[in-house]
Amino acid sequence: MVLADLDARPVAVAGPEPDATELAALLAGTYEHAGPVHRPPWAAVPLIVAGELSGALAARDAAEAELAPAAALVARSLDHAALRRARSRITQAELRTLRAQISPHFLHNALAVIGARIRTDPDRARTLLNDFADYLRYSFSTQGDYATVADELQAVQTYLELQRARFDDRMELTVRMAPEILPVAIPFLVIQPIVENAVRHGLEPKPGPGAISVSGFGEGPLCVIEVEDDGVGMRPEEAGAILAGRGGGRGGVGLANVDQRLRTVYGPEYGLVIETAPGGGTKVVIRVPKFMRGVTTR
């Protein structure tokens, strides 16, 4: 049996292989008619993947009735492989987009806070500068598409310490993570954009102090991560527009990006859930499988 590409070149061979000229003639007829061709003792059927002619399957001493089901199985396998590659490319492109959107607003404010403390509190300024470097190093890391919850959490804590300094320590931080989910692999940079949205659009417009919490726990086979703030909140329909990428000035691009990447990796039922009301704060929930084939940091 021979699996051949559109240039009539064998991609995989099991058993006897026909003469190159004989194979080329057999496949030429298959590709010309986009249908089965029988040139004893060989027969070939086309492989249609995603509606397009992608190659052919040829076999010796095989009837068309036997070869057609095998070709259909191979075509489905190739279609699934192509879909996985396409999803991977989409996820990587969305991640590059998110990295390009690392907030200039945050970068400017972080540097301003560090600069303001150089004279008044040089030790704190040094610590904050190290935090800032760690944050940038992680955000632009090329380690892959996935990270552990522990790694994501550390980056989030670094980000929040920088923001806490900007708020003159008026921001109350609470981080609670069940140890069981710390090694779980999740898409890279999914928690930080949610936390950034909570700070910028929940706490910054709110007068006085504010609080933000990041918590995680296991729920059967699922890993659940919640980011909650006691900020200004929003109307539920506005939250829906944000997840659809129509959030305008409310940080819709970052949250929509995270939501889409989660759905691409895990399936349409695993997007973000936003619970909010005007004046009632906002809670964003991530709920994903603890283990899923292909989702690994290795």
Side-chain angles (χ1 to χ4, degrees), residues 8-276:
R9 294 176 302 196
V11 175
V13 179
E17 181 178 349
D19 174 78
T21 302
E22 185 181 3
L23 178 64
L26 177 70
L27 296 180
T30 303
Y31 295 153
E32 180 180 354
H33 302 291
V37 170
H38 189 215
R39 291 175 178 263
W42 287 87
V45 293
L47 296 174
I48 308 299
V49 179
E52 296 183 357
L53 180 63
S54 300
L57 186 67
R60 184 184 178 91
D61 299 324
E64 179 186 333
E66 300 171 335
L67 193 55
L73 179 61
V74 172
R76 282 197 299 272
S77 298
L78 293 174
D79 195 10
H80 292 162
L83 180 59
R84 286 194 298 271
R85 289 194 297 272
R87 283 179 172 173
S88 177
R89 288 194 296 270
I90 290 170
T91 300
Q92 291 170 0
E94 289 171 338
L95 180 56
R96 287 194 297 270
T97 299
L98 189 60
R99 281 173 168 149
Q101 292 166 349
I102 296 294
S103 173
H105 175 82
F106 164 70
L107 299 180
H108 174 270
N109 286 335
L111 289 173
V113 167
I114 294 169
R117 280 171 165 72
I118 288 177
R119 287 183 178 275
T120 60
D121 192 348
D123 289 339
R124 181 80 184 277
R126 188 179 302 109
T127 299
L128 291 173
L129 188 58
N130 288 333
D131 287 343
F132 184 65
D134 289 342
Y135 171 79
L136 291 181
R137 187 180 302 112
Y138 182 78
S139 297
F140 292 100
S141 168
T142 57
Q143 65 178 6
D145 297 331
Y146 306 103
T148 64
V149 171
D151 289 337
E152 285 280 290
L153 180 61
Q154 184 169 346
V156 164
Q157 287 179 306
T158 300
Y159 171 84
L160 286 174
E161 283 302 323
L162 289 163
Q163 290 288 22
R164 189 164 175 266
R166 188 168 70 84
F167 276 73
D168 291 325
D169 299 327
R170 291 182 293 107
M171 180 192 295
E172 181 182 341
L173 308 178
T174 304
V175 178
R176 297 186 301 268
M177 285 283 169
E180 66 176 290
I181 71 166
L182 293 178
V184 172
I186 59 176
F188 184 64
L189 279 183
V190 298
I191 304 177
Q192 187 275 333
I194 299 172
V195 172
E196 179 176 351
N197 190 75
V199 173
R200 287 192 61 191
H201 305 292
L203 299 187
E204 282 188 9
K206 176 186 176 181
I212 184 169
S213 69
V214 183
S215 59
F217 53 90
E219 192 176 85
L222 299 179
C223 169
V224 182
I225 298 171
E226 299 177 346
V227 177
E228 186 170 9
D229 67 75
D230 65 352
V232 297
M234 68 186 93
R235 291 175 289 111
E237 54 268 31
E238 189 175 359
I242 284 175
L243 291 184
R246 303 190 305 272
R250 288 302 305 262
V253 175
L255 290 189
N257 182 297
V258 171
D259 181 68
Q260 183 57 50
R261 284 196 293 135
L262 290 174
R263 294 175 186 274
T264 299
V265 171
Y266 297 105
E269 67 272 31
Y270 290 108
L272 297 178
V273 175
I274 300 179
E275 302 172 9
T276 187

